[in-house]
Amino acid sequence: MRTRLLFPDRDLDLDDLPEPDPDLVEDLELERLFAAMAAGDERVAAVVRRVLPLGVRGGDRFSIALAVEAVRARQAVVADAIACPQAMGELYRLAADAVEAERRVWGGALRNAELVLQRSAEVVAGLLAAVASIRDLLARERSRLRSPALLGLADRLAADVDDAFLATARELLDRLGERTLVATAALGPGNRPSGLVLRREHSARARLRDRLVGGRAHGLVVDVALHDQNAMNALGELRAGAVAPAAAAVAESAGHLLAFCRRLRDETAFLVGCANLDAALRGVGLATAMPGLLPTGEPGLDAGAIADPCLALAIGGGVTGNDVACAGARLTVVTGANGGGKSTLLRAVGVARMLLAAGMPVAAASFRAAPADGIVAHFPRGEGGGTADGRLDADLRRLSELVDRVRPGSLALLNEPLSNVNERDGSAIVDGVVRGLVAAGVEVWLVTHHHELAAGLHARPPAPAAFLRAARGEGGARTYLVTPAPPLDTSFGADLWAAEIGPWPTGRDPGPPTVP
């Protein structure tokens, strides 16, 4: 049986998914997101770490065309999970309990055919009971479901695991559990048995009738004495030969049922995580919206009140959202006041694009974008005790690795690259990197304080571009609003000086300069 809740064309295989990029996890502060989704459940935590970054890796198995199809399908399933969180949690628990119950059944590495048959029959009985409960749960909730994936699963279980099938399966398992075996065989070379076939035993009523009429046996009857070890060994070989095919078949059935429950456990674990995150974001006062999808390959985005969910989870709310309209822009440059929310906006964009690819709601009142074919980020790192030259080498190495990983359709988030380098050199290096990425078909979001860099890109944009600026309120107040505006030749560092040390040495608020 197939689950196919997260992909329209295949089941989830966690072993096929690598761990998330540690740099991206650090840059976007995703650990807070993972923790909110897990809500203390270790299995959910392990699953969301693999599944959430599905749309950020790219690769041959995650092409743009497939991503759009998969995103639409996952959005419908996630919407059902958020609308029916209790039912989704129960579905997850049923599957998880079934997997755990199988682990507790004795004798996981048996080789004796009869013991294998006994254990496999016990496992199948338990898993069938769990699958029947899953079927009944989906049947009860069917009127509330809207996604084709969950409705399809409910229909498949209703058709394949109906009451007649369950009754037949339980009857066969009961017969296989009986100690009396009936088998037929032919004589092979050396008069050894061949073609052993396990047969259905006569009913108790037929055996009673035979005894009442004299119990006449047909054919040769051999009585084996219990003290005849050779005879008992021979009989044991016959029993094993007769039981082995049945044991293999029941063990295979147990494996199929267990694999189904494991897949369902993992896929519903992700859906439970989606419901947990939506509830957590709403709990800290953030609006959430299911993203709309722009045409395949179109860069940029349109967003209303987009916010950084990781920051909101960290401080418990109070995060300012921003309206951003830059659909079609291959390059978006964010400049403006220090501490004005530029990096926060960049993280918000990165997390939103990742959530979009996973089919999840984003922290915004509205959001539209196309799935990115991989997301990479370059955020500043701490000093780490190194020299300025060491930091430059490290930044250049990270930029080189970033360039090696992108491809057309990727999203690159560059937060103050080479900020430790002087204006002229830093601007020249980053300008070449940005123009090269854009020429290669990569969508670039750049936050920078290098005015020479921003002014050059504004004067000669390499592609359709948008320019945003972090606002500065009266007296240097930070509003954390980012609006469309050309770059200025100041980042208002004097405001930070005044806040931390005291009045600017001139005794005057420098104020905003004239826009070039």
Side-chain angles (χ1 to χ4, degrees), residues 43-44 53 61 75 78 81 159 169 203 210 216 220 232 284 317 319 352 372 409 426 442 447 452 468 479 498:
R43 167 55 54 176
V44 175
R61 296 196 59 193
Q75 284 183 337
V78 170
S203 66
D210 290 341
R216 294 187 298 274
L220 179 64
M232 294 298 293
V284 296
V319 176
V442 177
V447 169
E452 186 175 330
L468 308 176
T479 63

Side-chain angles (χ1 to χ4, degrees), residues 381-400:
R381 293 286 188 260
E383 291 285 350
T387 64
D389 289 339
R391 286 192 61 192
L392 174 60
D393 290 341
D395 278 354
L396 291 175
R397 182 167 53 253
R398 291 180 59 210
L399 283 173
S400 176

Side-chain angles (χ1 to χ4, degrees), residues 114-474:
E114 289 193 64
L115 293 180
V116 169
L117 176 60
Q118 185 178 350
R119 181 188 188 277
S120 299
E122 184 176 345
V123 169
V124 168
L127 292 175
L128 280 178
V131 171
S133 298
I134 292 169
R135 177 204 65 182
D136 294 342
L137 171 62
L138 288 172
R140 291 196 305 270
E141 298 292 334
R142 197 182 193 287
S143 62
R144 302 175 60 192
L145 302 178
R146 298 293 181 269
S147 63
L150 280 169
L151 290 173
L153 178 60
D155 292 341
R156 289 194 299 275
L157 288 177
D160 297 341
V161 193
D162 58 11
D163 291 338
F165 168 81
L166 291 174
T168 301
R170 293 187 184 109
E171 180 184 358
L172 289 174
L173 292 173
D174 290 341
R175 287 176 179 170
L176 290 172
E178 296 178 358
R179 298 297 298 169
T180 302
L181 299 179
V182 176
T184 60
L187 289 178
N191 284 336
R192 297 192 60 82
S194 67
L196 278 163
V197 178
L198 195 63
R199 301 292 183 181
R200 180 178 299 178
E201 188 180 4
H202 295 300
S203 66
R205 179 177 299 177
R207 292 199 300 272
L208 177 62
R209 184 180 65 248
D210 290 341
R211 289 198 297 271
L212 291 176
V213 298
R216 294 187 298 274
H218 300 281
L220 179 64
V221 176
V222 179
D223 292 325
V224 177
L226 294 178
H227 62 271
D228 188 343
Q229 190 60 48
N230 290 333
M232 294 298 293
N233 290 341
L235 182 59
E237 291 181 8
L238 286 172
R239 289 177 62 91
V243 167
V250 178
E252 184 178 1
S253 297
H256 288 319
L257 288 169
L258 182 60
F260 169 79
C261 290
R262 282 174 174 162
R263 291 192 299 267
L264 186 63
R265 175 200 62 186
D266 292 343
E267 296 188 4
T268 53
F270 175 73
L271 297 175
V272 167
C274 294
N276 289 341
L277 179 61
D278 188 75
L281 294 181
R282 292 180 182 276
V284 296
L286 285 188
T288 61
M290 192 64 77
L293 297 181
L294 291 177
T296 299
E298 181 171 340
L301 59 89
D302 287 333
I306 185 174
D308 179 3
C310 301
L311 177 60
L313 292 170
I315 66 176
V319 176
T320 301
N322 276 285
D323 297 334
V324 179
C326 56
R330 180 68 63 185
L331 170 65
T332 301
V333 180
V334 187
T335 60
N338 267 307
K342 302 185 300 298
S343 297
T344 299
L345 175 62
L346 197 64
R347 287 192 180 93
V349 169
V351 173
R353 295 289 285 271
M354 184 179 64
L355 295 179
L356 177 148
M360 299 170 59
V362 304
S366 62
F367 191 83
R368 291 195 313 141
D373 190 15
I375 299 177
V376 294
H378 181 287
F379 278 57
R381 293 286 188 260
E383 291 285 350
T387 64
D389 289 339
R391 286 192 61 192
L392 174 60
D393 290 341
D395 278 354
L396 291 175
R397 182 167 53 253
R398 291 180 59 210
L399 283 173
S400 176
E401 293 171 353
L402 180 148
V403 170
D404 290 340
R405 291 165 54 197
V406 297
R407 67 186 203 177
S410 295
L411 171 65
L413 307 172
L414 306 180
N415 186 22
E416 300 185 30
L418 303 189
S419 58
N420 59 313
V421 181
N422 64 73
E423 173 87 10
R424 183 188 62 186
D425 295 339
S427 296
I429 295 172
V430 177
D431 183 84
V433 172
V434 169
R435 293 181 185 278
L437 289 173
V438 172
V442 177
E443 179 185 346
V444 178
W445 280 67
L446 170 67
V447 169
T448 184
H449 289 299
H450 285 329
H451 174 68
E452 186 175 330
L453 168 63
L457 292 172
H458 184 261
R460 296 178 295 102
F467 290 83
L468 308 176
R469 188 199 305 163
R472 175 183 183 272
E474 184 177 353

